[in-house]
Amino acid sequence: MAVLSKIRQRSLLLIFVIGFCLLAFVVGDLINSGGFKQTSKYVGSINGEDISFEDFRSKVDAVEKGGQGITASQAANNVWEQEVSIALLTEQFEKLGIRVGENQILDILKQSQDIGQNPQFQNAAGQFDYQKFKEFFQANPELAPQLQQRETQAALSAKYQIYSTMLRAGLVATEAEGKLQYEMESDKVTFDYVAFPFSNIKDSEVPVSDDEIVAYMRKNEKKFKADETRELQFVVIEDKPSKEDEEEVKKNITELLSPRVVFNEATGKNDTVKGFREVTNNQEFVDANSDVKFDSTYVTKKNLPAQYAEQLYNLQTGEVFGPYIFNGYYAISKSLGKKAGASAKASHILISYAGSKAPNPAITRTKEEAKAKADDLFKQVQANPAVLESLVAGNSDDPGSAQTRGEYDMTPGQMVKPFNDFVFNSPIGKVGLVETEFGYHIIKVIDKQDAIRLATIAQRIEPSETTSDDIFRKATKFEMEASEKDFATVAKSLGLTVMPSANVKALDENFGSFTNQRQVVRWAYEKKTSEGDVKRFNIPNGNLIVKLKKVNKEGLMPISDAKPMVEPILKNEKKTEKIKAIMKGATLEEAAKAAKVAVASATDLTLQSPNLMGFGSEPRVVGTAFATAPNKVSELIEGRSGVFKLKTKSVAKAPAIKNFDTYTARLKAQSAAAAGRIVPALKEKADIEDNRLDFGF
């Protein structure tokens, strides 16, 4: 019956998988909360094809059972993306008349591990047996729905394979394109030029208004098109301990250092309890008084808290240091003594042989051959220990050497005994040849560290009940006052900082630096929430007070979002006009004099790599140089980093070659990647209606 369970599990997990290269979505939990009124029985539609809520919900439920480590809204978003992709691709399959038969579906099923590689469906030779597969489902008719689902998905996968093959076949690179690529990489131009960088004009000299930004966005509407968003202002009031809370923890932990009198309920008398300095059972004392349990391990100086490493490491046995603050705790530490050579660092080369423990399957050398090679390497390292590191990459059979360069930090007993004994019984710099069950090791001891064992009492510094109450009252007061007055003014009066505004879409779950805040986004999109409304939310470290600052309707993106992209463009356009008015002259020398700059030279630049020293990539400048006849002076050129004027000195044409296959093949490889952009392209042209918000997703 194990196979029944496998098939059921796989059916749920693979229900959305189209195939080898179609979809790879992460899935998890789906939010199921109230507050939204259902206005339709359809969760959405793609090109007029409706997606019913019931069907969408059932698929999400199936995904939830297999989802791990993801948030609820990620699940909803990923299932939706799958539905959209499948619908759009299926539409393409139908338009192109793509059909698949039983054999093609079976080929896809055979490639899944739980079917094609399932021993129950294999013959004596270990090959998939279709007859056994059929007989299994005939004997288990209750699995027919799961099989049908798998076959449906396999059919989609097979169609996608045909579709993607057709796309790749249509993405060609011609010989002419290969020739052009060769020329772009190989033709070279040399020219003199004058450059006036945009940075020579202050930004303050070319102000850009919001109206100018909007006008530019309207000219390039497609580029700046945006979905409906909500702009949020917010303030965080952390639930953190006060100075009084810190002092209270410090007082409590300091009292543990000295003897104290406590009442013994059993005897009805006062007892004198030893302090941390005097106790001999340090583990019992630590565990009774610390928020962090006793740790008996030895710690090297480099692994102690950096700020206090010197004081802690130099404690004499029985000596106490503290109180001190570390990682949100007040702590006191007592030295329980040091241990010499508690950790070490060594570098090694491993030479394995056939039959040694966990060898690389490709290793066929005998033990004798391995010993001879190890002896040779050992002699080299003995003569010059510094060469060991350079010998690791080409000789060591240790699979971890690529990442560690053969170096390991270790504690006693961590490595196999012969390796361990050599390292911990040898001085720093010692080189040796050691045999273990893994083979022969050429080892160099790089470093050794003594370590100290500490008994540490650590008590977390947390807000007291009084502090938490005060913080809650402050957050509530801010929420109430900010609902009636200016958000920023109220924040300032209470000593709070308003965080930079964030724009959120209807199905976002994160904003600003906050993750997993779907509750905030849902509130911002509720019909009863209006611009100017303020609400307080509980978050793990305190209170988040949010104001719905603005509702940005679908259309052009908010100016605040577009400004970082558009403003530099418009400023450079204005700077260009100023520079053109300055950079007068028919010759380079005249233009250079007017601009108060020097004439510079560029040698052997190509269209493929049009980089000007000090200016970066300037394709328009280099392209103009190629297009300008030798000894002719160009007009002024608006580049990426400034305004240029140039005089071409020479153009060196690439030598003729027999064919351009190498360049054509490279272009074909680049074109093949375009097949992966088909779904985004289809989505851009599709009529997609998304009603998930109405259902509380």
Side-chain angles (χ1 to χ4, degrees), residues 107 141-142 334 423 440 471 571 691:
D107 284 341
E142 72 277 10
K334 180 199 286 189
V423 172
Y440 295 96
I471 291 170
K571 281 184 177 292
N691 300 324

Side-chain angles (χ1 to χ4, degrees), residues 245-260 274-277 285-286 288-292 320-326 328-334 455-461:
D245 296 332
E246 284 190 20
E247 289 301 318
E248 182 65 22
V249 178
K250 182 179 180 181
K251 174 176 172 291
N252 293 339
I253 206 165
T254 302
E255 289 177 351
L256 296 173
L257 290 169
S258 306
R260 61 193 189 283
K274 289 182 178 180
F276 188 41
R277 290 190 177 95
F285 194 88
V286 168
N289 295 285
S290 178
D291 292 331
V292 179
V320 175
F321 174 74
Y324 62 94
I325 293 179
F326 178 65
Y329 291 83
Y330 253 117
I332 47 177
S333 297
K334 180 199 286 189
T456 298
I457 298 172
Q459 294 185 358
R460 189 185 298 276
I461 305 170

Side-chain angles (χ1 to χ4, degrees), residues 189-471:
V189 65
T190 296
F191 58 92
D192 293 333
Y193 67 95
V194 175
F196 195 121
F198 290 137
S199 57
N200 284 1
I201 296 178
K202 294 179 181 178
D203 283 352
S204 58
E205 295 180 32
V206 285
V208 173
S209 68
D210 286 353
D211 287 344
E212 288 174 306
I213 292 174
V214 171
Y216 182 89
M217 290 165 65
R218 284 184 176 145
K219 274 189 194 177
N220 303 272
E221 191 169 344
K222 188 174 181 180
K223 185 177 179 181
F224 296 97
K225 186 178 179 182
D227 296 329
E228 182 175 330
T229 61
R230 300 288 191 269
E231 186 177 351
L232 306 179
Q233 278 186 304
F234 51 98
V235 160
V236 179
I237 303 179
E238 291 183 278
D239 191 9
K240 59 183 181 181
S242 64
K243 287 292 183 185
E244 292 76 15
D245 296 332
E246 284 190 20
E247 289 301 318
E248 182 65 22
V249 178
K250 182 179 180 181
K251 174 176 172 291
N252 293 339
I253 206 165
T254 302
E255 289 177 351
L256 296 173
L257 290 169
S258 306
R260 61 193 189 283
V261 176
V262 297
F263 179 72
N264 189 325
E265 293 184 359
T267 63
K269 298 179 181 179
N270 288 333
D271 291 340
T272 299
V273 178
K274 289 182 178 180
F276 188 41
R277 290 190 177 95
E278 294 81 22
V279 294
T280 55
N281 191 335
N282 292 286
Q283 180 172 349
E284 181 181 53
F285 194 88
V286 168
D287 288 345
N289 295 285
S290 178
D291 292 331
V292 179
K293 294 301 181 183
F294 178 79
D295 183 356
S296 63
T297 57
Y298 282 86
V299 183
T300 59
K301 186 177 180 179
K302 67 180 181 180
N303 290 321
L304 291 169
Q307 187 178 353
Y308 308 104
E310 198 68 36
Q311 297 97 315
L312 291 169
Y313 186 74
N314 291 319
L315 289 173
Q316 299 299 311
T317 302
E319 190 179 358
V320 175
F321 174 74
Y324 62 94
I325 293 179
F326 178 65
N327 278 353
Y329 291 83
Y330 253 117
I332 47 177
S333 297
K334 180 199 286 189
S335 171
L336 302 183
K338 286 184 180 177
K339 183 177 182 180
S343 73
K345 185 174 187 177
S347 180
H348 86 128
I349 300 170
L350 171 63
I351 307 300
S352 293
Y353 52 86
S356 58
K357 187 174 180 181
N360 183 328
I363 295 172
T364 58
R365 71 172 72 94
T366 65
K367 184 174 182 180
E368 291 73 20
E369 290 170 335
K371 179 66 164 63
K373 181 175 181 179
D375 285 338
D376 179 60
L377 291 169
F378 179 49
K379 288 176 184 177
Q380 295 181 53
V381 176
Q382 268 189 317
N384 181 10
V387 305
L388 188 145
E389 183 178 323
S390 64
L391 293 173
V392 169
N395 295 282
S396 185
D397 295 323
D398 179 358
S401 291
Q403 287 76 38
T404 67
R405 297 178 302 172
E407 295 180 1
Y408 286 97
D409 291 307
M410 64 198 78
T411 55
Q414 184 178 342
M415 310 297 279
V416 290
K417 191 173 188 307
F419 195 112
N420 177 88
D421 291 349
F422 176 81
V423 172
F424 285 97
N425 294 329
S426 301
I428 295 173
K430 177 76 172 177
V431 175
L433 176 60
V434 174
E435 181 182 357
T436 74
E437 61 259 46
F438 295 97
Y440 295 96
H441 305 258
I442 298 93
I443 306 171
K444 181 173 72 173
V445 181
I446 298 174
D447 189 25
K448 284 188 171 183
Q449 296 268 333
D450 296 343
I452 190 169
R453 189 158 68 111
L454 298 171
T456 298
I457 298 172
Q459 294 185 358
R460 189 185 298 276
I461 305 170
E462 296 181 309
S464 64
E465 187 175 339
T466 300
T467 299
S468 292
D469 287 345
D470 289 343
I471 291 170

Side-chain angles (χ1 to χ4, degrees), residues 413-593:
Q414 184 178 342
M415 310 297 279
V416 290
K417 191 173 188 307
F419 195 112
N420 177 88
D421 291 349
F422 176 81
V423 172
F424 285 97
N425 294 329
S426 301
I428 295 173
K430 177 76 172 177
V431 175
L433 176 60
V434 174
E435 181 182 357
T436 74
E437 61 259 46
F438 295 97
Y440 295 96
H441 305 258
I442 298 93
I443 306 171
K444 181 173 72 173
V445 181
I446 298 174
D447 189 25
K448 284 188 171 183
Q449 296 268 333
D450 296 343
I452 190 169
R453 189 158 68 111
L454 298 171
T456 298
I457 298 172
Q459 294 185 358
R460 189 185 298 276
I461 305 170
E462 296 181 309
S464 64
E465 187 175 339
T466 300
T467 299
S468 292
D469 287 345
D470 289 343
I471 291 170
F472 176 77
R473 281 193 290 271
K474 184 177 183 179
T476 304
K477 179 182 180 182
F478 177 74
E479 179 187 15
M480 293 174 64
E481 291 188 9
S483 297
E484 300 173 354
K485 303 175 185 176
D486 179 69
F487 194 81
T489 302
V490 176
K492 186 176 181 180
S493 70
L494 294 174
L496 301 171
T497 301
V498 178
M499 307 298 285
S501 296
N503 287 302
V504 295
K505 296 180 182 178
L507 295 166
D508 286 348
E509 62 173 340
N510 307 325
F511 64 92
S513 61
F514 293 93
T515 59
N516 301 334
Q517 291 300 322
R518 185 76 187 123
Q519 56 171 346
V520 177
V521 179
R522 276 206 310 269
W523 166 79
Y525 275 86
E526 286 179 355
K527 291 181 179 178
K528 63 183 180 182
T529 304
S530 303
E531 287 186 4
D533 285 358
V534 176
K535 186 174 176 62
R536 183 185 64 83
F537 297 90
N538 292 320
I539 55 176
N541 62 332
N543 302 268
L544 178 65
I545 300 94
V546 183
K547 175 184 177 180
L548 176 55
K549 184 179 179 181
K550 188 177 181 183
V551 174
N552 298 307
K553 297 296 184 183
E554 182 179 356
L556 291 177
M557 68 170 60
I559 293 176
S560 57
D561 287 351
K563 193 169 187 176
M565 294 181 281
V566 177
E567 190 174 46
I569 296 171
L570 296 180
K571 281 184 177 292
N572 285 348
E573 287 180 357
K574 292 186 176 186
K575 288 180 181 182
T576 297
E577 295 307 312
K578 282 181 171 285
I579 294 170
K580 285 181 176 180
I582 296 169
M583 207 166 163
K584 300 287 189 180
T587 67
L588 293 188
E589 290 72 22
E590 290 172 350
K593 184 177 180 180

Side-chain angles (χ1 to χ4, degrees), residues 110 112-133 136:
K110 282 162 59 176
S112 62
Q113 187 173 2
D114 62 322
I115 294 178
Q117 298 177 37
N118 191 326
Q120 188 159 350
F121 303 142
Q122 292 177 345
N123 57 26
Q127 297 175 327
F128 180 76
D129 189 325
Y130 181 52
Q131 189 59 36
K132 284 188 175 184
F133 180 70
F136 173 81

